[in-house]
Amino acid sequence: MRKYEALYVLAPNLSEEEVKANVEKFKNVVINGGGEVENIDEWGKRKLAYEIKHMNEGYYVLMNFSGNAELPKELDRVLRISDGVIRHIVVKLEK
């Protein structure tokens, strides 16, 4: 099992329930894909470095997880098609 890190930025206009639902949804993608979520760190609303889709703020979430080589591809696909996500990145951590 390899270790990965996913950082995604949710739209600032989402309600607290919608944010929690999205975080839980992405956590379940990892768990259902045979992976293990090690940590979820919600940074909260922060100012973006530059405007994205006419938004100046975003809700940042950092998720550390481990899984097989196919898991980050599936998570990337789900993040890409989710409406509330304005930016995301999934990277493999070095040993």
Side-chain angles (χ1 to χ4, degrees):
M1 301 255 285
R2 298 176 181 158
K3 293 190 181 289
Y4 298 95
E5 182 175 86
L7 177 66
Y8 51 94
V9 182
L10 299 171
N13 57 359
L14 296 177
S15 69
E16 193 173 317
E17 294 83 26
E18 291 172 315
V19 169
K20 295 291 180 202
N22 275 312
V23 170
E24 196 63 32
K25 174 176 143 181
F26 303 135
K27 177 181 171 185
N28 287 333
V29 168
V30 172
I31 293 170
N32 293 338
E36 181 180 318
V37 176
E38 296 165 5
N39 185 34
I40 296 179
D41 190 11
E42 294 186 34
W43 296 354
K45 253 186 210 179
R46 296 189 176 220
K47 187 166 172 40
L48 298 172
Y50 53 90
E51 191 174 290
I52 302 172
K53 298 181 183 176
H54 306 291
M55 294 180 220
N56 293 320
E57 286 186 325
Y59 191 90
Y60 285 74
V61 181
L62 176 70
M63 179 171 61
N64 295 321
F65 64 97
S66 57
N68 61 24
E70 296 299 315
L71 187 56
K73 294 175 188 171
E74 176 62 17
L75 180 61
D76 183 58
R77 185 188 72 77
V78 172
L79 286 164
R80 191 175 303 122
I81 62 174
S82 297
D83 288 335
V85 178
I86 56 177
R87 279 289 188 273
H88 72 279
I89 187 168
V90 180
V91 295
K92 181 178 142 187
L93 297 176
E94 295 295 323
K95 292 183 181 179

